[in-house]
Each structure stands twice: as structure tokens, then as C-alpha cells.
Amino acid sequence: MNRILENERELIKKGQLGAEEENNALIRVTEENLLPEYNNIGICSAASRASSDFENANDHFKRRYVVRHIKIFVETVKKVTGNCGAFGTGYPFYALGKNMTGRLPIIAEQLRYNDELIDSVEHAKYQYPVWPCVRCLMQKGESMPDLKAVCKPCPNIPDELKPRKIINRLPDMDMWMVCEDGYTDAVKGNLQKLLQEQGFRTSDVDPIRTIGEILKIVESLKNGQDPEFLLPLDAHIVEYSYLYNLICSTPEALREAKERDTVPYLPIHPLSLRKVWQKDDVAYNFIYDYLSAFTEYNFNGNLKECLIETRKMIAEEYTTEELYNFMLKAATPANRRRMKEKSLQQVFERRVDSWRK
């Protein structure tokens, strides 16, 4: 970005321009970032279409690109003193087989979710010709603790058009570092620094930049090229004993859920990197992640043995259908709709079959 645009961006942040000057400056600044619709509600549609284009992108290049993120993260964790391994959850782990093999399916639920946002924009574009979140993100974005804290209670725009809802539609990666007990505070700064050096960023830091980079990533994949940018990263840290106890508790949690006909639940509440390292308001349900996508890397003897043993135990105790239903019960409504897709159900079945071998 040239010096004039940098100056205009600073004036926008400080709120020192009149309304018309600010609108014109926003257009100039964001066109430089290949986001000509930045000050228009249409940016929400642009983000949604980018997510759908990513979903439909060439499988070979996309899978290679996604696996690249995993390798970078795992190798980065190895450099951190006190590490005990890493694991992945969510996308793409629920969609690929062992060793990240297989064909990435096109997930219809993701396309439906994206189309839902486009419909919302069509209904709102006359009421909100200018996206109200633009100035807020430009002027307060750097000082916001994270998008949830400011966006959730904001009354200026419907929930479905708030930045966090837009960002949620974009592809990202969930990766976890396991560290020695008592090492969380010692490793978090080093891990963050190393991830930044590799090109990883969280979507909360600069949502508009994130949308622009996703657009460029999709364009590269369409052209059969390796993208310049990495997908946004949700990085988490958990301590060894905490994770070990969760894994060992999974069989009993499933037994209790079956006996009482309740949702199987084990909370996992990691330290997560948003703008800074923090604990989110709500814990994840470890049962869902364990059954649907948990993929380990470089676990040491005891942790690895516990994971293998518990997988074997539940695979022998329950049918694949029973485990699938446990997973659906533990899922959020959005994840439940997603995991009901036939292609993902087949991946799940192969996953459970591998536990029996």
C-alpha cells in the first residue's frame, strides 16, 4: 500500500474524515487490497462466494495445500520446548482418511450455509447499503479483544451480517499443541512467534484482510497454483495430564450417556489464540472431537497408548452406528447437519473400522 493510502487508512482509524471523504477513502484503501466491495454490504456476499469457491476448488491442489498447513504446524510445535505432540480437529480431519488420504468431498451443508448468507444480504442491501461494521473494524479493530466480545452485543446490524458470522463461513484450520504440565505460560509466546514467522494468522486480527486473502487463495487454487497465503489458524494449547484424563474418560462418558440417554459430554477448555491467548467463554465438547476428527501427531508413549486403547475399547463395545449417533448427539446443530452427509458418514465409518484393527 502506498504512502497516501497508508495516511488515509490512519485517518479512517482516527475518525478524522467527514462522511463523504471517509467513504471515498474506504473505497481507495480497500481496492488496493482487491476488495472493491469493502464499504458495501456486498463484501458479505463476496466472503460467502469465496467460501463456496474454496469448497468447489480442485481437489488435488486443495488437499495438497491443506495438508501443507498440518505439516507446518506439526514441525513448528517440535521446535517449542516442553511440547508433547500435536493434534488436529475439525476440517479437514473429519473429511479425509488415515494419513490425510482420500478425496476431499464437496460438503453440501457448507454451500447451503454460504447461500443462506447471500440471501440475507439480498434482503438487507437496501437497508444497509454501507456495511455498518466497516468503520468499526477500521477504527476499533486493533483494540478489540476479539470479535465475539464486541460484535455479539452490537445492535447496529442483524446477527447474520456481523463480522464473526462472515468469518465463520471462511475455511480455517484447528490445530492443537500438547505441552508438559505447567508449561502453558512458558510455551504460548514462543509458539505464537514461530507460527507468525511461518505465515499463520488468526482471522480475528484483521477480518477484512482475511477475506481478501481467502479470495486470492481461491483464485490460485482455481488456476492450479499453490496459494501465497495460509488459511486462518485457530491454535490451541492443552496440558498433557488434562488431555490424558479426557482421553481416558471417554469410554465411561459414553457408557453414562447410553445408560441415562443423555448427550455424551466432556468439556475441553483450552488456551486459544485469538488476538491474544485467551480462554473462550464456552468449552468444546471433547467427545465430538474425539469421535469425529481427532488426529494425533508425535504423541509420546503413554498418551499414544491411552488413545489406542480407548479407541479399541469403544470400537469393541459399540457398533459403528452407535458411535455415529453418539457423535451426532455431541455435535452442535451446525456440525450435526454437516456430519449427516453421506460422504462424511463414510469417512467416519472407515475411521472407526481402523480402531478395530
Side-chain angles (χ1 to χ4, degrees):
M1 187 181 295
N2 63 41
R3 187 171 300 233
I4 294 174
L5 291 172
E6 287 178 359
N7 290 339
E8 288 192 326
R9 184 169 185 142
E10 286 304 310
L11 291 173
I12 293 168
K13 287 182 180 179
K14 294 175 182 177
Q16 294 179 353
L17 295 176
E20 185 175 353
E21 288 178 308
E22 189 173 274
N23 275 340
N24 292 333
L26 280 167
I27 293 171
R28 287 191 292 272
V29 168
T30 53
E31 281 182 343
E32 179 70 14
N33 290 326
L34 301 182
L35 284 170
E37 295 181 292
Y38 181 38
N39 75 322
N40 185 289
I41 194 70
I43 191 175
C44 301
S45 297
S48 189
R49 291 191 183 96
S51 177
S52 292
D53 286 345
F54 182 85
E55 195 64 38
N56 287 310
N58 181 288
D59 173 69
H60 169 69
F61 289 105
K62 183 169 74 172
R63 183 169 66 84
R64 186 176 68 181
Y65 170 65
V66 168
V67 170
R68 186 173 115 207
H69 292 70
I70 301 168
K71 291 179 178 178
I72 293 173
F73 184 89
V74 170
E75 289 304 311
T76 300
V77 164
K78 286 182 181 179
K79 300 175 184 177
V80 181
T81 301
N83 92 82
C84 299
F87 64 96
T89 57
Y91 181 87
F93 301 98
Y94 59 66
L96 289 173
K98 190 175 182 180
N99 300 320
M100 296 293 99
T101 57
R103 183 178 179 84
L104 277 170
I106 295 173
I107 301 171
E109 170 57 23
Q110 184 65 46
L111 300 179
R112 185 207 63 79
Y113 185 48
N114 294 336
D115 289 343
E116 184 181 81
L117 175 58
I118 293 173
D119 289 342
S120 296
V121 170
E122 285 301 309
H123 287 99
K125 65 182 180 183
Y126 298 109
Q127 184 178 358
Y128 302 101
V130 174
W131 195 32
C133 309
V134 170
R135 289 169 182 79
C136 187
L137 289 173
M138 290 288 286
Q139 295 172 358
K140 304 176 185 177
E142 291 182 1
S143 61
M144 289 182 187
D146 64 62
L147 291 178
K148 291 179 183 176
V150 176
C151 295
K152 194 171 182 179
C154 176
N156 295 333
I157 195 167
D159 284 346
E160 62 267 22
L161 298 177
K162 291 179 179 178
R164 188 67 192 176
K165 289 291 187 180
I166 311 306
I167 291 297
N168 279 349
R169 283 171 164 83
L170 300 178
D172 64 3
M173 302 286 291
D174 274 273
M175 297 296 299
W176 304 62
M177 174 183 171
V178 185
C179 71
E180 294 179 18
D181 294 350
Y183 267 65
T184 300
D185 288 337
V187 304
K188 64 184 183 181
N190 191 18
L191 178 61
Q192 182 175 359
K193 177 176 178 292
L194 291 172
L195 291 174
Q196 289 173 343
E197 289 174 356
Q198 293 293 337
F200 278 120
R201 292 190 309 106
T202 67
S203 55
D204 281 31
V205 171
D206 190 340
I208 301 305
R209 178 180 170 185
T210 297
I211 294 172
E213 289 182 355
I214 294 293
L215 291 171
K216 295 174 187 176
I217 288 168
V218 168
E219 192 61 30
S220 295
L221 291 173
K222 283 181 178 179
N223 295 328
Q225 301 170 343
D226 285 329
E228 174 186 358
F229 302 102
L230 296 175
L231 293 172
L233 174 71
D234 284 345
H236 314 279
I237 300 174
V238 290
E239 294 190 355
Y240 181 95
S241 292
Y242 183 66
L243 180 62
Y244 181 86
N245 290 332
L246 283 170
I247 294 172
C248 292
S249 300
T250 296
E252 184 58 32
L254 294 180
R255 289 189 198 104
E256 289 184 4
K258 184 175 182 178
E259 290 172 2
R260 300 175 184 178
D261 193 23
T262 57
V263 173
Y265 180 71
L266 285 174
I268 181 168
H269 208 175
L271 195 66
S272 300
L273 181 58
R274 305 305 180 196
K275 281 197 169 180
V276 296
W277 289 102
Q278 65 183 56
K279 289 213 169 187
D280 291 339
D281 295 338
V282 180
Y284 299 94
N285 188 346
F286 180 74
I287 296 292
Y288 170 74
D289 286 328
Y290 178 104
L291 293 174
S292 67
F294 192 102
T295 303
E296 71 281 9
Y297 297 92
N298 303 320
F299 277 12
N300 70 12
N302 290 336
L303 198 58
K304 180 74 171 178
E305 286 176 12
C306 178
L307 184 60
I308 292 172
E309 185 60 31
T310 56
R311 282 173 170 171
K312 184 178 180 180
M313 188 182 305
I314 65 172
E316 291 177 350
E317 189 168 345
Y318 304 101
T319 65
T320 301
E321 183 179 3
E322 285 177 313
L323 291 173
Y324 179 70
N325 287 330
F326 278 137
M327 184 268 294
L328 291 182
K329 278 188 174 183
T332 63
N335 285 334
R336 190 176 304 124
R337 290 192 300 269
R338 181 185 305 269
M339 296 304 292
K340 283 183 177 181
E341 293 204 18
K342 187 66 176 176
S343 59
L344 298 184
Q345 184 176 351
Q346 291 170 345
V347 173
F348 178 86
E349 290 168 354
R350 290 193 293 270
R351 169 185 288 268
V352 173
D353 285 344
S354 72
W355 299 347
R356 297 189 173 105
K357 295 177 181 177

